[in-house]
Amino acid sequence: MNGTITKVLAGKGYCFVRGDDRISRFGHASAFVDPVEFDLAREGQGVSFVPVIETGSRGRSGGRRATEIRLLPGGYAVERA
C-alpha cells in the first residue's frame, strides 16, 4: 500500500503514516526496510508499506501499524482534498 508520512518523531524513533485508505498507522524506525531511510523521512513524503493490525499480548489490541516501510522515489506526495 502507498501512503504519506504525516508526523516524524525522530528523537523517539517513530512516525505516523496515513495510507491511501486514509487510515493513520504507527511506524517504528525498525519497520523501515533500510534503517537509514528513517533518518531521511520527512512529513509529507510518499512511502510504501504493509499495513498490519497488532493483536499480540504485548501490544495494544487492534493497534494499526505500518511495516516494511520504504520511501518512494520522487520525494513528496501530493495531499488529496
Side-chain angles (χ1 to χ4, degrees):
M1 173 179 288
N2 288 336
T4 305
I5 296 174
T6 57
K7 187 160 188 92
V8 177
L9 293 120
K12 295 188 177 192
Y14 62 88
C15 66
F16 291 93
V17 175
R18 184 172 62 214
D20 288 341
D21 59 1
R22 312 293 275 170
I23 295 173
S24 183
R25 294 170 175 86
F26 173 85
H28 193 269
S30 65
F32 280 74
V33 174
D34 180 349
V36 173
E37 287 191 345
F38 178 76
D39 296 329
L40 301 173
R42 300 291 179 260
E43 293 175 11
Q45 191 160 20
V47 294
S48 67
F49 66 96
V50 175
V52 296
I53 296 178
E54 193 170 271
T55 58
S57 60
R58 292 186 63 204
R60 289 181 272 175
S61 181
R64 297 175 187 273
R65 292 170 94 52
T67 63
E68 299 181 38
I69 303 168
R70 298 174 197 264
L71 299 181
L72 291 177
Y76 295 84
V78 175
E79 193 64 31
R80 294 182 190 162

